[in-house]
Amino acid sequence: MATREFRLPDLGEGLTESELIEWHISVGDTVTLNQTIADVETAKAVVQLPSPVAGVVTELCAEPGETVQVGTPIVRFEVGGGDAAPASVPDAPAASASSAEPAAAAPAEPERQSVLVGYGPAAASGRAPARKARKGAFLPAATSIPAAPAAVATATTSAPAARARTLATPPVRKLAHTLGVDLAQLTGSGPHGVVTRDDVQHAASAPGEQSAPASPSASSAREQATSAPAPARAGFPAERHTPIKGVRKATAQAMVESAFTAPHASVFLTVDVTRTMKLVRRLTEGGDRASLLAVISKAVCLAAAAQPALNSHWDDDASEIVEWGHVNLGIAVAAPRGLMVPVVHDAHAKTVAELADSIGELARTARAGELSPQQLSGGTITISNVGVFGIDAGTPILVPGQAAILATGAVQRRPWEHRGKVRLRDVMTLSLSFDHRLVDGEQGARFLTDVGRMLSDPATVLGRV
């Protein structure tokens, strides 16, 4: 038997950390190859981690709600014979100098299914590879081959004392983390002293019954917060403190980077979209797949082909401007986890019906929290449909690395001049923000008027498809 530890792998797109959401396993469980062992939340998506080995779980090294850095051990397994895990990574921190010789004498690289970025075998030779080895590989633990079963018991009981004393299921641990309750200070009311959900909720509602906090500063802060609470108004929510992490942290970093890197400029255009609205109604009534957003998306793709500066990228490293030969269209979605921008890849090659299908599917997947990192990457230009919230116009902030973002306002019935008379028409406002390093004012204006012209008279699109 051998003990193997699994380190959080690189989940792609250069992400350096993930939050552990939930364990699907417990200590003592027997797992199979590729069995889902945990859910982790990156800055972009919730990802299920599969087990790359078959074995028995001996230790869970992280708690639900904990933010874990890539390369940090999260679980240890006991595997038979050592064949189930790949060889150790030559330059990984946990590998000892003496492990280089067995690695060099190892046979050819074992066949292995790569299920996530960071999984997979180490280099075939003992010589360090040119690139840094991936952090998600398995490494032998310090007690990789115990001399006797007693050694396994020793390794298991060497976990932190707090974890050994406190018994609780992963959902209860996550609840305790969310409510700020220290499980080590609780006496469980469940069987064999297991801490239950009721125990955590009771401790959260009466924090004074717990033991003293770890630090005097934390104690004084809690006393100030609980000794004289402000009078609550009926129907007004209580004060809440939310950790800055996950999607909110990534969104904040992206907005700050964009606002203080790209010089933003914005232009606005109010257009009569009555004909487009009639077209969408006729298509949907006839059983075709269509939506106003899909038509706008098609117009953006066509306008970007005429004004490629709006579909470009400023590359500081290469000191060049990249004008993309395709349109990967980002669609801003207000999801329960926060702002998400899934991407319709190769949107320029899709019909209105195909765009409607792609946008609808991405929106549903985003709201369900099931987007993959690939679905959130590679955008070249973005649309933000703020009109669904009843907003007329705004000045959207660019997605970092992109040259333009179009905000579409709400469609409203307004008095509007039409063929020399004032009539009630369907009117909406388009707001375009662009990177002034890449896009001149004239180019931005031409792009926006081009989109507006196609929405005012969608028949003109036929001559450009």
Side-chain angles (χ1 to χ4, degrees):
M1 302 292 286
T3 300
R4 303 290 182 182
E5 70 178 17
F6 173 53
R7 302 186 173 206
L8 180 68
D10 175 8
L11 299 175
E13 294 299 314
L15 301 175
T16 60
E17 64 183 19
S18 298
E19 179 186 355
L20 178 63
I21 300 299
E22 181 182 4
W23 283 113
H24 294 287
I25 56 174
S26 301
V27 173
D29 286 355
T30 299
V31 299
T32 58
L33 181 67
N34 291 337
Q35 176 182 335
T36 299
I37 60 175
D39 292 341
V40 296
E41 181 181 24
T42 70
K44 295 187 174 183
V46 175
V47 179
Q48 291 187 330
L49 289 180
S51 173
V53 297
V56 178
V57 179
T58 60
E59 183 180 357
L60 302 179
C61 307
E63 303 289 351
E66 182 178 343
T67 299
V68 183
Q69 298 294 318
V70 169
T72 302
I74 58 174
V75 61
R76 291 187 173 91
F77 300 95
E78 219 176 55
V79 297
D83 295 334
S88 60
V89 178
D91 64 344
S96 62
S98 62
S99 65
E101 295 179 3
E109 185 176 282
E111 182 178 354
R112 175 161 180 78
Q113 179 183 6
S114 179
V115 291
L116 280 176
V117 177
Y119 282 58
S125 68
R127 186 180 59 186
R131 293 187 302 173
K132 184 177 180 181
R134 292 173 176 174
K135 298 181 180 179
F138 277 84
L139 300 175
T143 56
S144 58
I145 304 180
V152 177
T154 303
T156 304
T157 56
S158 64
R163 183 175 296 157
R165 289 198 306 269
T166 305
L167 298 177
T169 62
V172 172
R173 293 184 182 277
K174 180 181 178 183
L175 176 65
H177 176 80
T178 302
L179 298 179
V181 174
D182 185 2
L183 287 175
Q185 305 299 329
L186 301 184
T187 301
S189 61
H192 308 292
V194 173
V195 176
T196 65
R197 179 178 292 270
D198 290 339
D199 295 334
V200 174
Q201 292 174 338
H202 176 72
S205 62
E209 297 180 7
Q210 298 186 53
S211 301
S215 66
S217 59
S219 176
S220 60
R222 179 169 295 180
E223 289 175 0
Q224 292 175 4
T226 59
S227 60
R233 295 184 177 182
F236 199 80
E239 181 175 295
R240 183 176 64 175
H241 294 233
T242 303
I244 302 174
K245 58 185 179 180
V247 173
R248 176 55 55 194
K249 181 178 180 180
T251 301
Q253 291 173 340
M255 295 300 99
V256 170
E257 177 188 349
S258 177
F260 291 96
T261 301
H264 284 54
S266 299
V267 289
F268 305 87
L269 179 66
T270 302
V271 294
D272 179 356
V273 294
T274 305
R275 291 178 179 175
T276 294
M277 297 301 292
K278 289 181 178 179
L279 172 64
V280 171
R281 283 194 293 269
R282 285 199 300 269
L283 290 173
T284 54
E285 289 171 359
D288 294 318
R289 304 179 306 279
S291 68
L292 176 60
L293 185 55
V295 177
I296 295 173
S297 299
K298 189 63 180 179
V300 166
C301 292
L302 294 172
Q307 299 292 336
L310 278 293
N311 189 50
S312 64
H313 168 67
W314 183 279
D315 191 339
D316 266 324
D317 295 334
S319 297
E320 63 182 11
I321 294 172
V322 180
E323 291 185 350
W324 303 111
H326 58 275
V327 176
N328 289 344
L329 186 62
I331 303 293
V333 177
R337 296 175 60 228
L339 175 64
M340 314 286 287
V341 188
V343 177
V344 180
H345 290 271
D346 294 323
H348 63 284
K350 296 181 182 291
T351 65
V352 170
E354 291 170 339
L355 286 170
D357 288 343
S358 297
I359 293 170
E361 180 60 27
L362 284 175
R364 286 189 293 271
T365 306
R367 295 188 179 101
E370 298 173 353
L371 287 171
S372 67
Q374 290 76 17
Q375 291 174 305
L376 290 160
S377 307
T380 62
I381 188 171
T382 294
I383 295 176
S384 178
N385 185 17
V386 297
V388 296
F389 306 110
I391 301 300
D392 292 337
T395 52
I397 297 178
L398 294 166
V399 175
Q402 296 183 17
I405 179 171
L406 178 71
T408 59
V411 177
Q412 297 182 357
R413 295 286 286 175
R414 292 184 185 176
W416 196 261
E417 189 275 330
H418 178 66
R419 296 180 179 175
K421 295 182 180 180
V422 176
R423 302 178 184 273
L424 282 177
R425 305 286 289 178
D426 291 325
V427 176
M428 74 181 306
T429 299
L430 305 174
S431 310
L432 177 70
S433 291
F434 53 87
D435 185 342
H436 224 326
R437 298 175 302 176
L438 292 160
V439 182
D440 296 333
E442 178 192 2
Q443 294 169 312
R446 289 186 182 278
F447 174 88
L448 191 59
T449 54
D450 205 7
V451 173
R453 187 179 302 111
M454 285 184 272
L455 296 180
S456 296
D457 187 5
T460 59
V461 176
L462 296 176
R464 303 176 59 174
V465 178

